[in-house]
Amino acid sequence: MTASPLPSAPLYRRLFAMLYDGLLLLAVLFIASAIPLIFTGGKAIEGHNLLLTGYFLLICFGFFGWFWTHGGQTLGMRAWRLQVIHEQTGPLNWLAALLRFASALPGWLVLMLGLAAYFNPQLQLPGILRWLQSLPHGSIALIGLLWLGFDNWPNGWRERMTRTRVIL
């Protein structure tokens, strides 16, 4: 399949779809967080647990991957009449979904790190990231938000790298 004649989705629609999907994903993660409690007898799990982090990343990938490989639309994308397609094959397969998901992680991680630092000024960032604390208050979150905005710009680097498009 060649590039779709349908226009690329404008940034504002993408951002609103991301907001919708973020709220839905938050609900899914809230439910998913109850499952590890079964194995700990209801006791809280330490925040720096790599196994738990991997579990939540797998849940997030499953959420987006399922929707992207089954119709190309998350619920937020459906509400805003958007669809993600692969430039040559049309619907995404799981590998294309994984590449798209993985390529979005750096922007999201910077945004989440920035929000954590903004709402918890005493937060001590680990090793190589410690220099970020010298930046003005809230700027890390702003960098992450700008990164995501440019990352989702129509025909941006992420779409070129993954050979996917978000169309109307």
Side-chain angles (χ1 to χ4, degrees):
M1 177 176 189
T2 58
S4 172
L6 297 172
S8 291
L11 182 60
Y12 78 93
R13 283 183 178 245
R14 293 170 183 235
L15 293 176
F16 280 117
M18 284 175 22
L19 178 65
Y20 280 37
D21 289 333
L23 294 173
L24 290 168
L25 182 59
L26 187 62
V28 169
L29 290 172
F30 182 75
I31 293 167
S33 68
I35 294 171
L37 294 176
I38 295 169
F39 300 105
T40 64
K43 293 182 182 173
I45 300 171
E46 290 294 321
H48 301 288
N49 187 317
L50 287 179
L51 188 61
L52 188 64
T53 302
Y55 168 71
F56 285 128
L57 276 174
L58 186 63
I59 296 293
C60 292
F61 171 64
F63 175 84
F64 288 107
W66 174 261
F67 285 114
W68 290 341
T69 59
H70 292 84
Q73 295 177 297
T74 60
L75 296 174
M77 293 172 81
R78 187 168 293 160
W80 285 90
R81 297 182 312 130
L82 305 176
Q83 185 179 22
V84 63
I85 59 168
H86 192 275
E87 286 180 351
Q88 281 153 351
T89 61
L92 270 63
N93 59 28
W94 280 99
L95 179 59
L98 178 62
L99 289 173
R100 187 166 176 81
F101 179 79
S103 66
L105 284 179
W108 281 107
L109 290 175
V110 170
L111 176 62
M112 293 298 127
L113 180 67
L115 290 175
Y118 181 80
F119 289 111
N120 184 5
Q122 286 76 31
L123 178 71
Q124 291 298 314
L125 298 177
I128 195 167
L129 299 175
R130 194 159 289 132
W131 68 272
L132 291 171
Q133 290 180 304
S134 63
L135 294 174
H137 194 62
S139 62
I140 303 170
L142 181 61
I143 291 168
L145 192 58
L146 289 172
W147 187 334
L148 287 174
F150 286 110
D151 191 25
N152 284 288
W153 199 264
N155 301 317
W157 76 269
R158 190 173 87 150
E159 289 191 351
R160 287 192 305 265
M161 184 179 84
T162 61
R163 302 186 67 153
T164 59
R165 287 184 62 215
V166 177
I167 58 172
L168 283 171

